[in-house]
Amino acid sequence: HKITYWRVPEPNVTDNYNDLQSRQRIAVQYAVQLSTAPNARAPVDWLLHIDDDELFYVPGHPVGVPNVRDLFESVPKTYRSVKFRNSEAVYPSVEVKDCFKESTLFRRNGATSYANGKSAGRTAGRQAIMPFGPHDFDVPNPAVVLDTSVLPTPPGLVLHFESCPFSRWEKKFWSLRQTPAQSLKNIPFPFYRESIWLMNKCGFLWGQRLPSIDEQQGSNVTVAQSVDPACHIDNLKRFWSSYKVQAQAADTAQGPGYQEGADTQLRIHIDWAAIEQTLPVKH
């Protein structure tokens, strides 16, 4: 696992929604340089750019086959990039804490965030490849992209646990609350626009500094609630639930990628017990 951080103080991120995508692109460019450099200590065959709230899921792994290595080794050499479908989690309740383990339902149709998948780029043989935004890689022509996202049964999925738990939603959109009006208007996701609008209105509850939120304990709001009912913590949780909780998510499925008449939810069971048995024992 790799974690990217900035060696200098974080720049002014007033327009954090757009600035974040620029920083993601820079991080991928740096990863490509590290993995393809002549003196690379551990050459990498493929780079898959996913976030810390995402998992790459291969059906049948780890108790069956194929696994991730098998999947990528099976890609014909003529392809320089592989595109995977993404599926967004919905949660049992607003009190969810361990998002990866407690979530078994995923949006099959539509999303509150992106719905255009993510790609892996081939760097084997020190091939130079550059990111094309945060979701794709720049390739000479579409013929060298293997698009698995259009297959009825894709070999791999990017599972997206967006804005989970509730405290992460607080922290995420608190940071985005000063997004300029024009940029806000151009964001294609209603959930994002409404969340930023709410935090612009209610962000004072967390003070002027990024809140130190314990994602296991929940919100650290201690200031008296605003007279505006929209800013009451119960109403903020109700808003979050309307997009994120299983029983209500179907009503808000008409986001990016939504198709009329298609099934809205997909059940995926991940055998976490089997996975944990493969992990090194901590001493």
Side-chain angles (χ1 to χ4, degrees):
H1 301 282
K2 296 293 183 182
I3 298 174
T4 300
Y5 69 96
W6 300 95
R7 290 188 175 90
V8 297
E10 189 170 2
N12 182 356
V13 287
T14 299
D15 192 5
N16 199 26
Y17 178 81
N18 293 306
D19 183 76
L20 175 61
Q21 296 183 51
S22 298
R23 286 180 284 153
Q24 287 175 322
R25 185 177 64 254
I26 292 169
V28 177
Q29 289 173 340
Y30 184 56
V32 170
Q33 292 172 10
L34 289 179
S35 60
T36 60
N39 60 345
R41 289 178 293 178
V44 175
D45 292 338
W46 289 90
L47 284 178
L48 174 64
H49 181 208
I50 61 176
D51 299 330
D52 66 348
D53 63 351
E54 294 177 322
L55 296 176
F56 185 63
Y57 172 69
V58 178
H61 183 67
V63 294
V65 291
N67 62 27
V68 176
R69 177 173 300 198
D70 294 331
L71 189 159
F72 283 106
E73 286 184 348
S74 70
V75 177
K77 300 294 184 183
T78 52
Y79 292 108
R80 298 191 59 188
S81 179
V82 183
K83 191 172 186 67
F84 297 100
R85 184 188 308 168
N86 67 289
S87 190
E88 188 178 285
V90 290
Y91 311 108
S93 79
V94 72
E95 304 304 328
V96 60
K97 299 299 183 199
D98 194 334
C99 304
F100 287 175
K101 291 185 177 180
E102 294 180 47
S103 306
T104 59
L105 285 178
F106 296 81
R107 292 178 185 269
R108 187 195 302 269
N109 183 24
T112 64
S113 182
Y114 75 94
N116 58 332
K118 285 201 171 177
S119 298
R122 188 193 293 272
T123 55
R126 308 192 192 284
Q127 296 187 58
I129 190 168
M130 287 289 105
F132 185 73
H135 295 271
D136 296 294
F137 284 87
D138 195 6
V139 294
N141 64 76
V144 299
V145 177
L146 177 59
D147 189 354
T148 71
S149 68
V150 299
L151 300 177
T153 306
L157 284 172
V158 175
L159 302 182
H160 191 191
F161 300 81
E162 202 275 335
S163 288
C164 185
F166 173 78
S167 56
R168 183 179 177 118
W169 172 81
E170 292 178 286
K171 188 174 183 178
K172 175 178 181 175
F173 287 98
W174 188 93
S175 297
L176 294 170
R177 72 194 188 285
Q178 295 183 25
T179 299
Q182 187 57 47
S183 295
L184 180 62
K185 181 180 178 180
N186 293 334
I187 294 175
F189 316 119
F191 173 69
Y192 267 58
R193 293 197 302 269
E194 293 172 36
S195 295
I196 292 171
W197 181 85
L198 276 172
M199 277 298 169
N200 183 270
K201 174 191 288 283
C202 309
F204 73 92
L205 292 172
W206 291 266
Q208 297 303 311
R209 295 173 60 89
L210 183 66
S212 175
I213 293 176
D214 184 337
E215 294 189 355
Q216 297 302 314
Q217 298 299 323
S219 172
N220 68 342
V221 175
T222 57
V223 182
Q225 298 294 311
S226 165
V227 293
D228 188 330
C231 295
H232 290 187
I233 195 68
D234 288 345
N235 285 332
L236 294 177
K237 287 185 175 181
R238 191 174 296 113
F239 164 79
W240 184 92
S241 297
S242 71
Y243 280 97
K244 297 297 180 180
V245 172
Q246 294 169 6
Q248 303 175 51
D251 295 332
T252 55
Q254 297 187 35
Y258 179 79
Q259 296 179 7
E260 190 69 37
D263 294 338
T264 58
Q265 294 183 353
L266 170 71
R267 186 174 295 277
I268 294 177
H269 173 71
I270 298 175
D271 191 344
W272 288 102
I275 292 173
E276 290 172 350
Q277 290 178 2
T278 69
L279 300 177
V281 177
K282 292 183 179 180
H283 298 287

